[in-house]
Amino acid sequence: MRIELQKRPAVSPLFSMLSPLLALALTLIFGAIMFALLGKDPVAAMHAFFIEPLLETWSLHELAIKAAPLILMGVGLAVCYRSNNWNIGAEGQFTIGAITGSYTPIVFYDWHSPLVLPLMLVMGALGGALFGAIPALLKAHFNTNEILTSLMLVYIAQLFLDWLIRGAWRDPKGFNFPVSRDFAPEAILPAIWEESGRAHWAFVFALIAAVLCWFMMRYTLKGFEITVLGQSERAGRFAGFSSKRMVWFGFLFSGALAGLAGICEVSGSINHLQPAISPGYGFTAIIVAFLGRLNPLGIVASGLVLGLTYLGGEAAQLSIGVSDKVTRVFQGLLLFFVLSCDTLIYYKVRVTWARLRGGAA
Amino acid sequence: MNIWEAILLTVITASTPLVIAALGELVTERSGVLNLGVEGMMIIGAVAAFVGAQLSGSPYVGILCGIAGGAVSSQLFAFLTLTLVANQVATGLALTLLGLGVSGMIGEGYVSVPGVRLPEIAIPVLSDVPVIGAVLFRQDLIFYLSIVLLLGVNWFLFRSRAGLKLRAIGDSHTSAHALGIHVIRTRYLAVMFGGACAGLAGAQLSLVYTPQWVENMSAGRGWITLALVVFASWRPWRVFAGGYLFGAVTILQLHAQALGLGIPSQYLSMLPYAATIVVLIIISHNRRTTMINTPASLGKAFVPER
């Protein structure tokens, strides 16, 4: 058996819509098989994983909390990837954003003012952008591979956070536990409306960011510049666009959104700093960006789907006793299937059997 | 054994997985395929080796399981990027994420289980030579394999016909295809070799370096490996030297932590990652030399015309 590809004359609009759904369906089928192999009832497991979290109001709030950082970062990464810049260090920019954003409520603990929260958000976004500026500077001026540098910086950011929390920023009344002081009420991102349970404003920020990015990509010159430079640097140069400046734009933009996601998560959900503030959101956001086909509105949907895998993992651990590590497996599988289904958009796939061709390979 | 011998031994242990995985990735990249999934294949190799050694009681079975784990997972990447021409960067990331997830799940029951350590093999006569005998000739099998791999890869790439073809594919898959060389088939094999090496490196981690299973125990070594290949400008001997340089940095920071120089341990732990960035800057800032050394069709998709 062999698989032959034939380039389509134009991108298939049908498969552009279908491929993410197909990928999702394949992931579910594989997931069911995996549960069956683990000796669990696949129907019950899939129900616990993907349906149960959607049935209760409180878990819908949790979904919004999990999806918010994924959408915020996914949208930024999508813009960056569209311009053919590979920022895979969103996890690090998330961490640094959380740190710079927390500077005000931790260092100026006794300063009570309605300005605290806006200042935190701005400083979080700035911190993320500045940290994203490092791989941008290295790529634009030293020609360094941005994939490797942005990833190395993730480890550095996490160690830096660890040092802060175990040293200068440790809660003096925390019995030596590595946590910072709990934020004062002014420094906590409020719930969206009073009865909205725990779901806080980060989800709203995420939706706004997605709509603005969609508008930028579709209707503005900047969006056109991003697309052109991403597809052909040479063509972009003829149009007078600078690929160096695009490197800066891509990284600062995605870094700022990742930083904002970081401070929102710390301020809205955790309410203090601790060594581990993210269950790999920055890496999952890469999957979110691809599942959303790098389209900001698609990313809202894919952010919710990936958010659900986090909730489902926790739920399945409680109700059917599978490890919550299943979440990461699901996420990895999903990205694999998304990438393979994307082939259908650009190519006609034909499966042939070599025997029928008389063995002429 | 004196302190210097002890330090040299630990440097070798820290460097060996980097050298092995980087040699594998070097062959993959020389064929024009950029597999960013080294971290994923390495951690799969580590967990496969650990579980294999636990179940069979033999670390040698563990090594085979590690190699197989890396090779099999690499074929997933190969199918996506070579047959379905998916984006190599994204697929490599997918392999890393999947590898971390799958290894965490497989290894969950093995956390804090005492591991099986790969025994040392003393080479007769040579192991009795003072100083170098104890350091170089009383090592485990994987160290000896790393030396064999270095010589083998070097010979294969630059002295054998198949190696010449592989490099031709990496520099221009279209021309190589026109000459009748099997581009896709060779690349599948090159990716598999890279996967097997990453798996072997993983096996070294869970059988020699720290004989136990810890989640995410590869700790970015797969990514450092990718930087090493760039650093070495795709040459086996330089990969070897670079691997030992990084191994030395890792060990030095550990010793510095033990000495307590007043530098916070977190900053010392940053050193290998920071060193990677610095090395990348030094090696890449000259655009022309980078361009000459990089395999010309690295990371580019190939769809044969029919």
Side-chain angles (χ1 to χ4, degrees), chain B residues 212-232:
Chain B
Q212 53 180 318
W213 168 249
V214 184
E215 211 186 341
N216 293 346
M217 70 188 295
S218 49
R221 284 189 184 82
W223 294 103
I224 291 180
T225 292
L226 287 159
L228 260 179
V229 177
V230 180
F231 165 73

Short mmCIF file of all heavy atoms in Angstrom, two decimals, chain B residues 212-232:
data_model
loop_
_atom_site.label_atom_id
_atom_site.label_comp_id
_atom_site.label_asym_id
_atom_site.label_seq_id
_atom_site.Cartn_x
_atom_site.Cartn_y
_atom_site.Cartn_z
N GLN B 212 16.44 5.52 37.85
CA GLN B 212 15.08 5.53 38.40
C GLN B 212 14.20 6.23 37.39
O GLN B 212 14.70 6.76 36.40
CB GLN B 212 15.05 6.28 39.74
CG GLN B 212 15.66 7.67 39.62
CD GLN B 212 15.63 8.41 40.92
OE1 GLN B 212 14.64 8.35 41.62
NE2 GLN B 212 16.70 9.12 41.26
N TRP B 213 12.89 6.22 37.62
CA TRP B 213 12.00 6.93 36.72
C TRP B 213 11.46 8.18 37.42
O TRP B 213 10.88 8.11 38.49
CB TRP B 213 10.83 6.06 36.27
CG TRP B 213 9.78 6.89 35.60
CD1 TRP B 213 8.54 7.18 36.05
CD2 TRP B 213 9.91 7.58 34.34
NE1 TRP B 213 7.89 8.01 35.17
CE2 TRP B 213 8.70 8.27 34.12
CE3 TRP B 213 10.94 7.70 33.39
CZ2 TRP B 213 8.48 9.06 32.98
CZ3 TRP B 213 10.72 8.48 32.27
CH2 TRP B 213 9.49 9.14 32.08
N VAL B 214 11.71 9.34 36.79
CA VAL B 214 11.16 10.60 37.26
C VAL B 214 10.46 11.22 36.07
O VAL B 214 11.00 11.22 34.97
CB VAL B 214 12.27 11.56 37.75
CG1 VAL B 214 11.67 12.81 38.32
CG2 VAL B 214 13.17 10.87 38.74
N GLU B 215 9.27 11.74 36.28
CA GLU B 215 8.57 12.36 35.17
C GLU B 215 9.39 13.52 34.63
O GLU B 215 10.03 14.24 35.40
CB GLU B 215 7.18 12.83 35.62
CG GLU B 215 6.19 12.77 34.49
CD GLU B 215 4.85 13.37 34.86
OE1 GLU B 215 4.54 13.52 36.06
OE2 GLU B 215 4.11 13.71 33.92
N ASN B 216 9.35 13.71 33.30
CA ASN B 216 10.11 14.79 32.64
C ASN B 216 11.60 14.73 32.95
O ASN B 216 12.25 15.76 33.04
CB ASN B 216 9.61 16.17 33.07
CG ASN B 216 8.21 16.43 32.57
OD1 ASN B 216 7.72 15.71 31.71
ND2 ASN B 216 7.57 17.44 33.09
N MET B 217 12.14 13.53 33.14
CA MET B 217 13.53 13.45 33.58
C MET B 217 14.52 13.88 32.50
O MET B 217 15.68 14.16 32.81
CB MET B 217 13.87 12.05 34.10
CG MET B 217 13.93 10.96 33.06
SD MET B 217 14.11 9.34 33.83
CE MET B 217 15.72 9.48 34.61
N SER B 218 14.07 13.99 31.26
CA SER B 218 15.01 14.47 30.22
C SER B 218 15.30 15.95 30.39
O SER B 218 16.34 16.43 29.93
CB SER B 218 14.45 14.17 28.83
OG SER B 218 13.12 14.62 28.74
N ALA B 219 14.41 16.69 31.05
CA ALA B 219 14.66 18.08 31.48
C ALA B 219 15.30 18.96 30.41
O ALA B 219 16.25 19.68 30.68
CB ALA B 219 15.53 18.08 32.75
N GLY B 220 14.79 18.89 29.20
CA GLY B 220 15.28 19.79 28.16
C GLY B 220 16.52 19.32 27.43
O GLY B 220 17.03 20.01 26.56
N ARG B 221 17.04 18.11 27.78
CA ARG B 221 18.24 17.63 27.10
C ARG B 221 18.01 17.44 25.61
O ARG B 221 18.91 17.64 24.80
CB ARG B 221 18.72 16.33 27.72
CG ARG B 221 19.40 16.52 29.04
CD ARG B 221 20.05 15.22 29.50
NE ARG B 221 20.62 15.41 30.82
CZ ARG B 221 19.92 15.34 31.94
NH1 ARG B 221 18.63 15.09 31.88
NH2 ARG B 221 20.50 15.52 33.10
N GLY B 222 16.80 17.02 25.25
CA GLY B 222 16.50 16.85 23.83
C GLY B 222 16.64 18.16 23.07
O GLY B 222 17.14 18.19 21.94
N TRP B 223 16.23 19.23 23.71
CA TRP B 223 16.33 20.54 23.05
C TRP B 223 17.77 21.00 22.99
O TRP B 223 18.20 21.58 21.99
CB TRP B 223 15.47 21.56 23.80
CG TRP B 223 14.01 21.25 23.73
CD1 TRP B 223 13.23 20.69 24.70
CD2 TRP B 223 13.14 21.45 22.60
NE1 TRP B 223 11.95 20.55 24.24
CE2 TRP B 223 11.87 21.01 22.97
CE3 TRP B 223 13.35 21.96 21.32
CZ2 TRP B 223 10.78 21.05 22.10
CZ3 TRP B 223 12.27 22.01 20.45
CH2 TRP B 223 11.00 21.56 20.84
N ILE B 224 18.52 20.73 24.05
CA ILE B 224 19.94 21.10 24.04
C ILE B 224 20.65 20.35 22.91
O ILE B 224 21.50 20.90 22.21
CB ILE B 224 20.57 20.80 25.42
CG1 ILE B 224 19.98 21.77 26.45
CG2 ILE B 224 22.08 20.90 25.37
CD1 ILE B 224 20.50 21.59 27.85
N THR B 225 20.23 19.08 22.71
CA THR B 225 20.77 18.29 21.62
C THR B 225 20.60 18.99 20.27
O THR B 225 21.52 19.03 19.46
CB THR B 225 20.00 16.95 21.59
OG1 THR B 225 20.34 16.22 22.74
CG2 THR B 225 20.34 16.16 20.37
N LEU B 226 19.40 19.54 20.05
CA LEU B 226 19.14 20.23 18.78
C LEU B 226 20.08 21.41 18.61
O LEU B 226 20.59 21.67 17.52
CB LEU B 226 17.69 20.70 18.74
CG LEU B 226 16.67 19.59 18.54
CD1 LEU B 226 15.30 20.02 18.99
CD2 LEU B 226 16.65 19.18 17.08
N ALA B 227 20.31 22.12 19.71
CA ALA B 227 21.23 23.26 19.65
C ALA B 227 22.65 22.78 19.36
O ALA B 227 23.40 23.42 18.63
CB ALA B 227 21.19 24.03 20.96
N LEU B 228 22.99 21.61 19.94
CA LEU B 228 24.33 21.04 19.74
C LEU B 228 24.61 20.79 18.28
O LEU B 228 25.72 21.02 17.80
CB LEU B 228 24.41 19.70 20.48
CG LEU B 228 25.10 19.67 21.81
CD1 LEU B 228 25.06 18.25 22.36
CD2 LEU B 228 26.54 20.09 21.62
N VAL B 229 23.60 20.29 17.56
CA VAL B 229 23.81 19.97 16.14
C VAL B 229 24.10 21.24 15.36
O VAL B 229 24.98 21.27 14.50
CB VAL B 229 22.59 19.22 15.57
CG1 VAL B 229 22.77 18.96 14.09
CG2 VAL B 229 22.39 17.92 16.32
N VAL B 230 23.39 22.32 15.69
CA VAL B 230 23.65 23.60 15.03
C VAL B 230 25.05 24.06 15.40
O VAL B 230 25.85 24.47 14.56
CB VAL B 230 22.61 24.65 15.48
CG1 VAL B 230 22.89 25.98 14.81
CG2 VAL B 230 21.22 24.18 15.14
N PHE B 231 25.35 23.99 16.70
CA PHE B 231 26.65 24.39 17.22
C PHE B 231 27.78 23.67 16.49
O PHE B 231 28.82 24.24 16.17
CB PHE B 231 26.70 24.09 18.72
CG PHE B 231 28.06 24.11 19.35
CD1 PHE B 231 28.70 25.31 19.55
CD2 PHE B 231 28.68 22.94 19.73
CE1 PHE B 231 29.96 25.34 20.13
CE2 PHE B 231 29.93 22.96 20.30
CZ PHE B 231 30.58 24.16 20.51
N ALA B 232 27.57 22.37 16.21
CA ALA B 232 28.60 21.56 15.61
C ALA B 232 28.64 21.71 14.09
O ALA B 232 29.40 21.01 13.43
CB ALA B 232 28.37 20.09 15.97
#
